[in-house]
Amino acid sequence: MKKWLNNISKRTWVRVILVAILFIIVVFSFIGEKVAMNNGIGWDGVNYLRTMEHFISLIKHHGYDQYEIMRVMPWGLTDILCVITGISVTRKVAIASGILYNSIAIMLGVFFFFRLSNLKQWKIETEVLGFSFLFYTYPVLKLMGYYPVLSDVFGLTIGIMLCYYFFANKRWALILMGLAGAFIWPTTPMVAFALAFFPRKPLPIGDSANLKDGYALKLLCFLIAALPLLILVFSVVQYHGHIMHAMREILPLTIPIYKWIIPIACLCSCLYYYYIVSSFKVSFVGTLRDNFSGKQNWINYACFFALMLLTSGVSRLLANADPGALTTTQTLQCISLSSMTDPFVFVESHFIYYGIGYLLVLLLWKDVAKIIMQQGMGYLFAVAMWVLFSIRPEARVSIMFYVFPLITLLMYIDTKQIHSSVAILGACFMLVHSRFWYRINVPNMKYYFDWENYEHYLDFPAQRYFMSQGHWQSHEMYAVWMVVTIIIGALLYWGIRKKWYVKEEID
């Protein structure tokens, strides 16, 4: 036994410790407190419960709208299994199903993360930080157990699996993921098929001497950066100048305290987009030439659109004519207008949700962007989707997209000699920041979560939960968490500048 233990590598021991910590916390989370709404089912969980109870009947009679049909799995399996076994879908069965499906999802996520680490041959320190940034987070260690009838972790796992299959160059696996994911996570097909078929050739770096090329790229940057402003103007016109009324109609609850905050927050969103997009120093003309010429490229694009039409057609065939919760226009309005409740509210809310990995993505973005450019158009497309959704304060919406810039961050970190102590401290910080230890429910929490009292969602004790849910967060909690975000961000930035986190290179 002693000899066998001595033969176990250091990396294996580190993985065992990482997974053991994850497993212990998740188990205690699953047997712990549950969301005090609809007997532990929650808000979105009501839709999944409906699928678990009536999936076969709803599919047979086109009972799903075009949005709901894209979220029926794996919840529909519960109805199928219960019909086969003659078991009724009770509250306990529904919560048990959520625990089972989320457990499978998180195990798959861990498995494919380690496969990706093996593939990229990451250092142990990189692996520890990557594992912490992905799994020692609020949605995994706290929310998953508190709110098990929810599918957010499915999006996280799908993102990790897509990254692995992309870097392993497994096109058929990406295609199958796109087909299967069409009924699990709505945006899976477009990302999976883009990764499978879009060119992998590195994007050419722009030539500063080429004025036409430079002007074209700057124009594109300004147009993308102006998107929040254009949507704001559209909403003002749509609601005849009553922008606060538009905010109340489009946003769930939190709206700006004063009308004058809106243009300031809009400018912040535009500046954020410009910072992100302008970091891609690509040759606009060269990118068009390399990626939109040649017979093979156009065949691949045709395959992409054909598969998108196939998945969309099947979804529409199974669903009814109702578009569902959000149209494309409503989605864009929700993304942009929700970012205008407070200046840079999306940075603070994403930090609450994802921790220091998110802040490092922003602080090291110029270096991260260079690595993204090397992965080709498909990977850039996935990151572009994250950029679009990243100004929405409800961070869980972009959980699948977030994986792509984060994996690229790890690729950059792996080029550095990180101190082992930094990796350990990073993991410890992520554990504390996940708030797995924080008890959300208080006596009579069901009353505070009751929809009839939704106006008090911005007050405590309801804010014990809603302060982590983006645009359900109160302005007071925004102020507190923004201060924390600035302090942590400043420490990270200063440490990077002073090279606190890396070993000195010896010539």
Side-chain angles (χ1 to χ4, degrees), residues 202 320 365 368 460:
N320 54 44
W365 182 249
V368 170
F460 276 91

Side-chain angles (χ1 to χ4, degrees), residues 325-434:
L326 290 172
T327 64
T328 302
T329 301
Q330 290 171 333
T331 300
L332 291 173
Q333 283 183 298
C334 189
I335 290 171
S336 291
L337 296 185
S338 64
S339 74
M340 301 175 196
T341 56
D342 290 292
F344 290 115
V345 62
F346 46 90
V347 173
E348 168 262 335
S349 60
H350 280 67
F351 167 67
I352 291 178
Y353 214 71
Y354 298 121
I356 55 176
Y358 168 76
L359 292 183
L360 286 173
V361 167
L362 297 187
L363 292 173
L364 298 169
W365 182 249
K366 291 186 178 180
D367 296 302
V368 170
K370 293 176 183 177
I371 299 176
I372 292 171
M373 289 169 54
Q374 296 169 7
Q375 313 312 315
M377 284 289 289
Y379 203 89
L380 177 62
F381 177 85
V383 173
M385 294 300 296
W386 170 73
V387 173
L388 174 65
F389 280 86
S390 64
I391 65 169
R392 180 168 176 171
E394 192 176 11
R396 71 187 190 92
V397 175
S398 59
I399 193 167
M400 184 188 80
F401 303 130
Y402 170 65
V403 174
F404 293 90
L406 186 66
I407 294 299
T408 320
L409 169 71
L410 297 178
M411 293 167 66
Y412 172 75
I413 288 176
D414 199 58
T415 64
K416 308 298 181 181
Q417 294 294 327
I418 304 294
H419 288 294
S420 297
S421 58
V422 169
I424 295 171
L425 287 173
C428 291
F429 178 90
M430 290 298 299
L431 284 170
V432 174
H433 186 266
S434 72

Side-chain angles (χ1 to χ4, degrees), residues 194-249:
L195 292 172
F197 292 107
F198 285 10
R200 288 172 170 260
K201 186 175 181 180
L203 303 179
I205 299 174
D207 182 5
S208 56
N210 189 331
L211 295 179
K212 290 185 178 179
D213 200 21
Y215 287 144
L217 188 59
K218 285 183 179 179
L219 178 61
L220 180 62
C221 290
F222 278 114
L223 288 175
I224 295 174
L227 184 61
L229 176 61
L230 295 174
I231 293 175
L232 176 62
V233 172
F234 171 80
S235 301
V236 169
V237 173
Q238 183 184 19
Y239 285 86
H240 308 290
H242 302 291
I243 186 57
M244 294 298 279
H245 178 65
M247 290 281 194
R248 291 188 181 94
E249 285 285 321

Side-chain angles (χ1 to χ4, degrees), residues 32-316:
E33 61 177 350
K34 294 292 174 283
V35 58
M37 183 69 176
N38 296 316
N39 294 318
I41 301 299
W43 294 265
D44 290 2
V46 171
N47 296 324
Y48 303 135
L49 175 61
R50 176 170 169 256
T51 292
M52 287 188 275
E53 292 175 328
H54 309 294
F55 172 71
I56 297 172
S57 174
L58 289 169
I59 282 289
K60 189 183 297 183
H61 299 97
H62 300 280
Y64 291 107
D65 61 44
Q66 293 171 24
Y67 177 79
E68 290 174 333
I69 195 67
M70 295 184 287
R71 306 293 288 269
V72 296
M73 288 295 164
W75 311 106
L77 295 176
T78 299
D79 185 39
I80 295 171
L81 292 173
C82 286
V83 168
I84 293 172
T85 57
I87 298 173
S88 299
V89 179
T90 63
R91 169 188 169 275
K92 288 185 177 179
V93 169
I95 292 177
S97 296
I99 290 174
L100 174 63
Y101 298 145
N102 279 283
S103 297
I104 293 172
I106 207 66
M107 285 189 288
L108 283 172
V110 170
F111 174 75
F112 277 94
F113 170 75
F114 286 140
R115 290 193 72 180
L116 180 58
S117 179
N118 292 340
L119 181 69
K120 305 300 289 185
Q121 297 183 326
W122 283 337
K123 301 182 183 76
I124 293 178
E125 291 79 11
T126 305
E127 192 172 279
V128 170
L129 288 173
F131 190 93
S132 304
F133 294 161
L134 284 167
F135 302 111
Y136 291 170
T137 58
Y138 171 81
V140 174
L141 296 187
K142 182 60 183 180
L143 186 61
M144 185 173 68
Y146 180 71
Y147 197 160
V149 188
L150 200 64
S151 59
D152 294 4
V153 172
F154 305 163
L156 176 68
T157 296
I158 288 172
I160 295 170
M161 293 175 69
L162 290 177
C163 275
Y164 169 74
Y165 286 132
F166 172 79
F167 286 112
N169 200 15
K170 296 182 181 293
R171 174 178 285 184
W172 279 107
L174 289 169
I175 294 171
L176 292 175
M177 283 287 296
L179 295 173
F183 300 99
I184 300 174
W185 197 260
T187 49
T188 302
M190 70 170 73
V191 175
F193 299 150
L195 292 172
F197 292 107
F198 285 10
R200 288 172 170 260
K201 186 175 181 180
L203 303 179
I205 299 174
D207 182 5
S208 56
N210 189 331
L211 295 179
K212 290 185 178 179
D213 200 21
Y215 287 144
L217 188 59
K218 285 183 179 179
L219 178 61
L220 180 62
C221 290
F222 278 114
L223 288 175
I224 295 174
L227 184 61
L229 176 61
L230 295 174
I231 293 175
L232 176 62
V233 172
F234 171 80
S235 301
V236 169
V237 173
Q238 183 184 19
Y239 285 86
H240 308 290
H242 302 291
I243 186 57
M244 294 298 279
H245 178 65
M247 290 281 194
R248 291 188 181 94
E249 285 285 321
I250 295 168
L251 305 184
L253 189 63
T254 308
I255 59 173
I257 300 177
Y258 304 108
K259 189 185 294 186
W260 56 263
I261 291 176
I262 298 175
I264 296 174
C266 178
L267 176 62
C268 293
S269 299
C270 293
L271 289 174
Y272 169 83
Y273 269 168
Y274 184 81
Y275 168 71
I276 295 293
V277 178
S278 63
S279 297
F280 292 99
K281 306 295 185 181
V282 300
S283 168
F284 187 76
V285 175
T287 299
L288 292 176
R289 181 186 64 246
D290 292 349
N291 294 279
F292 295 94
S293 62
K295 181 180 178 180
Q296 189 58 50
N297 279 344
W298 287 108
I299 290 174
N300 286 336
Y301 289 132
C303 291
F304 169 81
F305 285 110
L307 285 170
M308 285 299 298
L309 288 173
L310 174 64
T311 53
S312 177
V314 171
S315 295
R316 289 176 179 271

